[in-house]
Amino acid sequence: MATTYLTALLLSSLPALGNTFGGLVAERFEISEKALSLALHLAAGIVLAVVGIELIPTAIEADPPWLVLIVFLAGGVFSIGLDRVTDLIASRTGGEANAGAWGIYAGVAVDLFSDGVMIGAGSTISLSLGLLLALGQVPADVPEGFATIATFKAKGIPRRTRVLLSLSFALPIFLGVTVGYWLVRGRPAIVKLGLLAFTAGILLSVAVEEIIPESHKGDEARLAAVALVGGFALFTLISVYLG
């Protein structure tokens, strides 16, 4: 039985709260450069797994598959414009030193948007599917929220701004639910799969061009590579058992 739009919004609040919780943990504790490096590697591993395990395998089920791959490429091109926007924001909040932090924020926001699309679309099928999709995202969103806010903290962004940024993560997932529930349902599968491919292209670019480079700027942890692979494995585990 399909759920109402309000119920879909409530379900999407679960991963949003997980992300915010991760940010609040980063606020509570002092974060060393090595700990930040581990957190960013973990977040990068999760984002890469979202692309490789969830988004692309689903998207290439489209007919024809080459069409969604073109849209995937378009997502990568779009990320160039997204990078320009984050650079503009960074120039107003501390210059080039903050560009990486805003790039990570943008990537996590896109990830949350894609979560919302899946939850919204799944909720139109059944309540149980929507709930399963929402619960499955929470464990992955906590370290992403932690890494994002820890990076802003390391850049010296004021605490009030960091808290507002952490709370603002609810916006992209609510937008994603709205798109998934109202704009994707009832449309050809190629529309939903193309949207997932587009977000995958953005996320892949952000992980490689923003999150991983940022994780190497400070005192890198010795187990950074393990954290990267661990993040990938964590999301894969969640996808297999809760997806």
Side-chain angles (χ1 to χ4, degrees):
M1 178 178 177
T3 65
T4 65
Y5 172 62
L6 179 59
T7 303
L9 280 178
L10 290 174
L11 291 176
S12 69
S13 68
L14 295 175
L17 288 172
N19 202 287
T20 300
F21 174 76
L24 293 176
V25 172
E27 287 291 346
R28 176 65 179 81
F29 299 99
E30 289 299 321
I31 311 299
S32 67
E33 288 188 344
K34 288 185 177 181
L36 178 58
S37 174
L38 285 174
L40 288 169
H41 276 87
L42 182 68
I46 291 172
V47 172
L48 291 173
V50 169
V51 174
I53 300 298
E54 188 169 90
L55 298 183
I56 290 300
T58 301
I60 60 176
E61 293 176 2
D63 185 24
W66 58 264
L67 183 58
V68 296
L69 292 177
I70 291 177
V71 178
F72 172 71
L73 179 61
V77 173
F78 179 82
S79 70
I80 298 174
L82 190 63
D83 185 57
R84 294 286 180 88
V85 172
T86 57
D87 284 346
L88 180 62
I89 296 173
S91 68
R92 297 175 180 271
T93 59
E96 185 179 350
N98 291 340
W102 285 106
I104 293 169
Y105 175 85
V108 172
V110 171
D111 185 26
L112 287 169
F113 173 80
S114 70
D115 290 347
V117 170
M118 289 184 288
I119 293 169
S123 296
T124 64
I125 299 173
S126 70
L127 173 61
S128 59
L129 178 58
L131 178 61
L132 189 64
L133 291 170
L135 289 174
Q137 306 305 321
V138 175
D141 287 325
V142 172
E144 286 186 352
F146 177 89
T148 304
I149 300 305
T151 303
F152 277 118
K153 190 176 181 180
K155 300 295 184 182
I157 299 297
R159 186 175 187 276
R160 180 181 178 183
T161 302
R162 298 196 305 264
V163 172
L164 290 175
L165 288 171
S166 185
L167 293 174
S168 73
F169 278 132
L171 298 178
I173 195 165
F174 289 161
L175 176 61
V177 166
T178 302
V179 170
Y181 192 91
W182 294 112
L183 300 183
V184 172
R185 73 171 183 168
R187 301 204 178 253
I190 191 68
V191 175
K192 175 187 175 183
L193 299 178
L195 182 59
L196 295 179
F198 185 76
T199 57
I202 298 173
L203 288 174
L204 181 61
S205 300
V206 169
V208 175
E209 297 295 333
E210 301 289 350
I211 301 179
I212 293 179
E214 187 67 30
S215 70
H216 290 283
K217 286 185 177 179
D219 188 7
E220 185 180 348
R222 184 172 298 176
L223 297 177
V226 176
L228 177 70
V229 177
F232 194 100
L234 172 64
F235 186 84
T236 304
L237 186 70
I238 294 168
S239 178
V240 169
Y241 288 99
L242 293 180

